[in-house]
Amino acid sequence: IFESLRRKADAKAQEEKVQLVNEKERVLYEKQQKRLAELIEANTTLPCTVSSVRVLGAVNTRHGFLKRIFHDPISITVDPSDRTNPSSTPTDVDLYLSVREKARIAFKLGTEAGNTEGSAFANVYLRNLFGGAESLSLNVAQGTRTRTAYQGTFEAPILANPDFRGEVGALASSTQKTWASHEEVLKGGWTKLRWLASGGKHELGYSGIWRQVTGLAEKASPTVRGDAGDSVKSSITYSVTNDQRDYPLLPQSGYLTKSTLELAGWGPLQGDVAFGKAEIEGQGAIPIPIPGVKGNSGVSFTTGFRAGLMYPLPLGFDSNPQPSRINDRFQLGGPTDVRGFRLGGLGPSDGNDAVGGDVYAAGSANLLMPLPRLGPEKPFRIQAFINGGRLLALKQSEIEKMDAGSVRQSVSSTVTELGNGLPSMAAGVGLVYGHPVARFELNFSLPLVIRKAGQRRPTKSPKPHKDPTDALQRQAAEGGTSGYIDSRPGHDVCHDKAAHRPQTPTPQNLVCFGCDREFHSYASMILHLEEGECITTMAELARFAESASYSDRYIVYGWREYLRTEYGLEKTAFDTDNETVWECVECRKVFYTISKASVHARSAAHKPRLFKCPSCPKDFNALSGLLQHVEQSNSCPEGLYKGTRVMGRLLSEVGDRLVEKDNHKLRRLAVSGGGGS
């Protein structure tokens, strides 16, 4: 035995033993596989019924939600269940689905850079709130252009259908729009329905947004100043998107079609703005084979086109269409829009401000090639591009009357003009990185064609002209107004009761602050003072109002400095070929007497909307308009001595200032009682 142990093992014999063992294992494995295949083939068409479906691990998902997903009955082809189980039948099987739910709360902090803006954000995402795949997203952001942004969105599937979802959201944001010398403040909410159909993704939504154009730059154009103030947009939107691209951020093949319709302010929608807006977009990508390169070469050619139209509509159930505002019009140009042009650099402008347009069209063509040594698998591409576009405003001279026929004619002629000549175009090369979240580009571009900027928009969009002086003074002379001040003991316009007014109001007679003329309303009296033929002027009255107590309640934010320096200094000019016709250069309104032209020049027709109601979103370009709203509106809770009561204090302080200025002691002021004030 010891001799045999001392002898070295034969290597060849050991190798033969190992081979013999491996061969036995291989033969046994092949027999097992053959037997399993025979067993599966014999039972592959065996019918069965499912007695129960159990989901393990979904502790936060409610039972009713799962029942809608796993419908009964379920037919499946499977091996028989364990025959040793006495509760089973020959056709019964049990299915167990083991899942792993995502965390219910996700929190994210980060920074973003893009579209000429840098920002920091915080996001809280809550999943499966009520056990039915609901989600709540709360987002806060602050950036260089978007100063503050708060947004909350709640989304849930309807009837446990992931392809049919509902969404409710709210937002509050403040964005600096440097290309138009103002800041836009938004507050509002929306609701949406999304579903999948044969034509792609559909979305139907309603939104109600309060907007404010404020924070005007020192050199803001008259157009921007004319649209400053508050407005409310109530609109319905519908969009259809069919995206068949293989990779949306860096497509190599496929196509995209998208169309969007928006209806605002028309009929029961109400609000302050009314229009219909339509946009279409299309994109296509095709791969380009390279001789000698097998498979995907990474070279592709993409083209895109989009166009939009904004159509003025009547507000509510009115018959006259409403002109558009700067925050509703289209903007064109920018590094992520039409490359080679600044933000809003294409289309109508007023001075250095891009004021937007009503009709546009834009297109692009790109050639994408992979970087050398990286290959087509990496998301880096070299691109050569050419793009262009054109943005036009509706021809102003054709919509002065602002009726349905003239608007239709103006839209038709503007669309025709869109194809007249070459658009503004630029070409260039760049580097593209397709990140899973966003597309990053570094481009060098050179403008090829630069069209002259679109026509300058007037300070105020034209409306059917009504002379407010004649209307209010006629109303006062005929006694046609009702209820201006809710008279109560101890509430007087002037603090000095003995010098200025009796405690018992006297209907019909309101004596002017500066002369003996009598009026039936404070609005008509202030309008008389604004005409400049009494003790003061419109500019001085506006400055008195700005310096009064609580003026931040009725002066639109951002206009205080303008009231102190510029208000009332600009003069309305007229073009005339003879002494019988005078035409305003701002709104092109024609006057046949110099007196009417002078009244128009001194009126608030071309003043920005500086004054706002303390209790509702209405804004006005003259103090008399604000007072008329406060005295006559039945829908607004504000009154001279109701609501915030700052209007009564304003009249008192303005009256005192005028008395001190001219050493003119006020005679008795009478007020009338009644509703609506």
Side-chain angles (χ1 to χ4, degrees):
I1 293 175
F2 285 105
E3 286 296 328
S4 63
L5 291 175
R6 291 192 185 99
R7 288 197 301 268
K8 294 182 179 180
D10 188 358
K12 185 176 181 181
Q14 288 293 111
E15 184 177 356
E16 290 177 353
K17 289 181 180 181
V18 171
Q19 290 179 355
L20 182 62
V21 171
N22 292 339
E23 181 65 20
K24 289 181 178 181
E25 291 180 352
R26 186 185 65 80
V27 172
L28 180 61
Y29 177 76
E30 289 181 351
K31 289 182 178 180
Q32 291 175 345
Q33 291 295 108
K34 184 177 180 181
R35 173 58 182 164
L36 181 60
E38 291 174 352
L39 183 63
I40 293 176
E41 183 178 0
N43 294 277
T44 187
T45 58
L46 180 66
C48 67
T49 58
V50 178
S51 61
S52 65
V53 177
R54 302 183 185 182
V55 179
L56 306 178
V59 295
N60 297 317
T61 305
R62 65 177 182 265
H63 181 68
F65 179 75
L66 293 175
K67 286 184 66 177
R68 290 183 177 273
I69 296 177
F70 300 102
H71 300 281
D72 185 34
I74 297 177
S75 297
I76 191 171
T77 301
V78 73
D79 286 340
S81 61
D82 187 4
R83 299 298 178 86
T84 62
N85 188 347
S87 63
S88 66
T89 65
T91 61
D92 279 353
V93 294
D94 292 337
L95 297 182
Y96 290 85
L97 303 180
S98 181
V99 300
R100 180 181 178 185
E101 293 185 332
K102 288 187 175 181
R104 299 194 72 180
I105 302 177
F107 183 74
K108 186 177 181 181
L109 290 172
T111 58
E112 296 175 329
N115 200 21
T116 69
E117 180 183 17
S119 62
F121 68 91
N123 178 262
V124 177
Y125 191 78
L126 306 177
R127 298 186 181 94
N128 212 18
L129 286 179
F130 307 111
E134 303 89 357
S135 64
L136 176 64
S137 177
L138 303 175
N139 189 75
V140 179
Q142 187 171 12
T144 56
R145 191 152 56 83
T146 302
R147 296 186 174 181
T148 56
Y150 305 92
Q151 181 172 314
T153 304
F154 176 78
E155 187 177 12
I158 298 176
L159 301 177
N161 185 352
D163 295 335
F164 188 35
R165 307 182 68 86
E167 178 184 305
V168 178
L171 66 86
S173 67
S174 175
T175 305
Q176 190 73 29
K177 297 190 174 182
T178 54
W179 62 89
S181 302
H182 72 272
E183 178 181 350
E184 185 178 36
V185 178
L186 302 177
K187 293 180 181 180
W190 69 88
T191 179
K192 296 179 180 178
L193 288 176
R194 298 190 181 98
W195 68 94
L196 289 178
S198 57
K201 298 179 180 179
H202 298 251
E203 180 177 292
L204 176 65
Y206 168 80
S207 64
I209 306 293
W210 171 80
R211 298 99 52 87
Q212 186 181 61
V213 175
T214 182
L216 303 188
E218 181 180 355
K219 297 183 179 180
S221 64
T223 300
V224 177
R225 294 185 184 276
D227 281 340
D230 302 349
S231 64
V232 177
K233 184 177 80 167
S234 173
S235 66
I236 295 175
T237 57
Y238 173 71
S239 65
V240 181
T241 304
N242 187 9
D243 193 351
Q244 301 296 328
R245 297 172 296 179
D246 55 351
Y247 183 32
L249 295 177
L250 205 63
Q252 298 293 304
S253 63
Y255 65 90
L256 164 73
T257 60
K258 182 178 180 180
S259 60
T260 304
L261 299 174
E262 182 179 8
L263 179 65
W266 183 78
L269 291 175
Q270 296 299 318
D272 289 337
V273 294
F275 59 83
K277 186 183 287 187
E279 289 186 83
I280 59 171
E281 180 181 356
Q283 187 185 80
I286 56 173
I288 299 179
I290 302 297
V293 178
K294 295 182 180 180
N296 181 19
S297 66
V299 181
S300 63
F301 179 74
T302 64
T303 60
F305 175 80
R306 56 195 178 93
L309 168 66
M310 185 174 179
Y311 196 97
L313 293 175
L315 181 61
F317 297 98
D318 195 7
S319 59
N320 295 322
Q322 295 290 313
S324 60
R325 297 176 65 97
I326 190 171
N327 41 1
D328 293 319
R329 302 181 196 123
F330 298 113
Q331 296 285 347
L332 198 62
T336 59
D337 190 29
V338 179
R339 306 179 189 91
F341 299 92
R342 69 179 181 91
L343 281 172
L346 300 181
S349 63
D350 188 355
N352 293 325
D353 293 336
V355 296
D358 304 291
V359 182
Y360 82 93
S364 64
N366 298 57
L367 181 63
L368 298 172
M369 298 168 288
L371 268 67
R373 298 186 179 182
L374 292 183
E377 296 81 12
K378 300 295 183 180
F380 290 93
R381 294 291 186 273
I382 298 174
Q383 76 167 346
F385 66 86
I386 182 171
N387 59 191
R390 195 174 181 193
L391 175 65
L392 298 176
L394 296 183
K395 293 189 175 181
Q396 199 67 42
S397 60
E398 297 183 14
I399 60 172
E400 282 187 3
K401 297 179 181 179
M402 233 24 209
D403 56 49
S406 60
V407 169
R408 185 166 54 251
Q409 181 181 357
S410 179
V411 170
S412 177
S413 60
T414 305
V415 172
T416 303
E417 176 64 22
L418 197 64
N420 184 14
L422 291 174
S424 298
M425 300 174 63
V429 295
L431 180 64
V432 181
Y433 171 53
H435 189 271
V437 177
R439 172 170 169 152
F440 298 88
E441 295 187 7
L442 178 63
N443 294 316
F444 170 79
S445 58
L446 180 67
L448 302 178
V449 179
I450 301 178
R451 294 291 298 250
K452 184 178 70 171
Q455 70 176 85
R456 175 186 179 275
R457 287 184 174 270
T459 303
K460 291 289 291 179
S461 299
K463 298 179 180 179
H465 180 76
K466 295 181 180 179
D467 192 340
T469 307
D470 296 341
L472 274 180
Q473 291 182 358
R474 188 186 313 114
Q475 191 178 36
E478 296 173 357
T481 56
S482 62
Y484 299 109
I485 297 180
D486 188 6
S487 177
R488 300 182 185 130
H491 291 83
D492 296 298
V493 171
C494 182
H495 298 302
D496 188 355
K497 301 176 185 178
H500 298 293
R501 67 172 64 234
Q503 288 191 2
T504 303
T506 305
Q508 307 297 329
N509 299 322
L510 279 174
V511 182
C512 174
F513 288 137
C515 67
D516 295 334
R517 190 167 180 176
E518 296 181 352
F519 300 88
H520 287 254
S521 71
Y522 281 104
S524 56
M525 181 179 67
I526 293 298
L527 183 59
H528 158 72
L529 293 171
E530 288 175 343
E531 290 301 314
E533 298 178 352
C534 189
I535 192 176
T536 185
T537 63
M538 177 182 289
E540 189 174 52
L541 274 176
R543 294 191 183 99
F544 286 167
E546 186 274 331
S547 61
S549 304
Y550 305 105
S551 60
D552 58 325
R553 302 280 187 91
Y554 51 83
I555 300 293
V556 175
Y557 177 77
W559 287 101
R560 302 182 70 92
E561 191 62 30
Y562 176 76
L563 281 171
R564 295 170 183 171
T565 57
E566 300 178 10
Y567 188 83
L569 299 182
E570 57 268 28
K571 301 294 183 182
T572 303
F574 290 84
D575 292 333
T576 180
D577 297 328
N578 50 58
E579 296 183 356
T580 60
V581 177
W582 288 264
E583 184 180 19
C584 176
V585 298
E586 294 290 339
C587 65
R588 315 313 301 181
K589 181 173 177 61
V590 175
F591 301 89
Y592 295 97
T593 64
I594 186 61
S595 60
K596 290 186 178 181
S598 300
V599 169
H600 177 76
R602 293 194 303 269
S603 72
H606 302 301
K607 301 293 184 185
R609 306 180 78 84
L610 311 177
F611 300 93
K612 64 178 181 179
C613 176
S615 298
C616 77
K618 295 289 186 180
D619 55 1
F620 310 87
N621 53 13
L623 181 59
S624 58
L626 172 59
L627 287 172
Q628 183 186 21
H629 165 75
V630 169
E631 290 180 325
Q632 297 185 3
S633 176
N634 293 323
S635 60
C636 179
E638 186 68 22
L640 294 180
Y641 294 99
K642 294 171 62 177
T644 63
R645 302 192 178 189
V646 297
M647 292 291 97
R649 182 182 292 271
L650 166 65
L651 286 173
S652 174
E653 295 188 23
V654 168
D656 289 343
R657 292 286 298 273
L658 292 175
V659 170
E660 295 172 3
K661 171 194 172 186
D662 201 59
N663 197 22
H664 184 288
K665 193 168 185 177
L666 289 177
R667 305 174 66 185
R668 294 177 176 238
L669 293 177
V671 295
S672 62
S677 59

